[in-house]
Amino acid sequence: MIGLGRPSGPEFVTPPLTRPAPAVTPGVRAMAGPAAPPRGGRLLLAAVLVAAVTGGAAGLAGAAVFAGSEPPAAAALPRAAPAPAGSLAGMSATAARVLPSVVSIELRRGGGSGFVVDGRGHVLTNAHVVRGESEVTVVLGDGRRLAARVLGADDDEDLAVLRVDGAAGLPPATLGSSAALAVGEQVLAIGSPLGLSGTVTAGIVSALDREVRLGGSARTAVQTDASINPGNSGGPLVNARGEVVGVNTAIAADRGGGNIGIGFAIPIDRAAPIAERIIRN
């Protein structure tokens, strides 16, 4: 398992995976040279030339009809009016509600994700995303780039809090309860995988209280099959009501380091008190 921040996250053991042998498509052969022209090719060529000449004459006749006048305007294709945000339903409405609270975190050596937790500009993320940094750049959903300082971190729990300068009034995410989660429940992972800000992926809760290693210590985490990749670290895992139930932090990966459908999030019931303690102190 690897962390999701760049350049690297907590050190986890990569599960052994087998790779299937490449498939061979039967009956496919390379062509040795140009195919011989079919019989009757001359007759076909003559027919094409006749059609070309006939078409050219028709085009000249058409041009004469429209000479001295404006060409007809192309008809506009009918388009439906965009649906107002208030009319969205289901997981689309959930994503629209949470996205304004999610930020991208940029550093000289990579980046990650985070989300606003209160109205004073505090952002929760992973400790491994900002490790060794005192100041970072936060990119908001509307494209604004703001300076932020690392307020504090808990390396054992892999959590950190940022304070964004001049960002008072940012909409905070609604925190839910990870204790209320059930296996099979639908969830969304939101963040900036590979630098693609505002990315939303869907999945389910695959397991609860899965033991993984975070910050060098064994911890329990929420397992999900929502697609998360490097750069998702610190972003929220949310339920269908748009409540944050976890902080995305690690994935099980093959040698390529990409998503294979096994991701882990720190339960929000454990993360929220740590964030409050960092902010308070």
Side-chain angles (χ1 to χ4, degrees):
M1 289 174 254
I2 62 172
L4 300 177
R6 289 187 173 180
S8 64
E11 296 182 356
F12 301 118
V13 178
T14 301
L17 296 177
T18 58
R19 295 177 179 271
V24 179
T25 305
V28 177
R29 294 183 296 175
M31 300 184 67
R39 298 183 63 184
R42 292 182 180 179
L43 181 60
L44 177 61
L45 177 61
V48 171
L49 290 175
V50 170
V53 172
T54 305
L60 291 175
V65 171
F66 288 102
S69 62
E70 292 293 332
L77 297 177
R79 294 181 181 271
S87 67
L88 297 177
M91 299 308 275
S92 294
T94 299
R97 186 159 58 249
V98 181
L99 274 168
S101 304
V102 182
V103 303
S104 299
I105 300 172
E106 293 184 352
L107 307 94
R108 293 166 295 179
R109 55 176 173 79
S113 307
F115 56 97
V116 182
V117 293
D118 62 19
R120 295 175 291 167
H122 290 118
V123 170
L124 182 59
T125 185
N126 281 143
H128 75 258
V129 170
V130 296
R131 182 171 292 126
E133 302 287 342
S134 59
E135 295 183 354
V136 298
T137 299
V138 165
V139 184
L140 308 183
D142 58 10
R144 283 184 292 164
R145 302 166 64 87
L146 301 173
R149 59 189 177 92
V150 179
L151 200 62
D154 186 324
D155 290 326
D156 289 337
E157 295 286 353
D158 196 20
L159 293 167
V161 175
L162 312 179
R163 177 66 181 268
V164 183
D165 297 330
L170 283 178
T174 301
L175 305 188
S177 172
S178 49
L181 282 174
V183 173
E185 183 174 346
Q186 193 169 16
V187 289
L188 296 180
I190 305 178
S192 304
L194 307 177
L196 303 173
S197 61
T199 295
V200 179
T201 54
I204 62 170
V205 174
S206 303
L208 299 170
D209 301 323
R210 183 72 75 192
E211 187 171 297
V212 296
R213 294 190 65 81
L214 299 176
S217 303
R219 294 287 189 273
T220 57
V222 177
Q223 181 182 330
T224 178
D225 68 347
S227 180
I228 53 179
N229 286 283
N232 268 119
S233 263
L237 185 72
V238 303
N239 60 20
R241 296 181 295 277
E243 301 165 345
V244 179
V245 292
V247 182
N248 299 319
T249 188
I251 57 174
D254 59 10
R255 293 180 181 177
N259 169 69
I260 60 171
I262 303 176
F264 302 97
I266 302 169
I268 196 62
D269 290 351
R270 194 167 77 237
I274 294 172
E276 293 171 358
R277 171 174 55 81
I278 293 174
I279 293 171
R280 185 172 59 250
N281 296 336

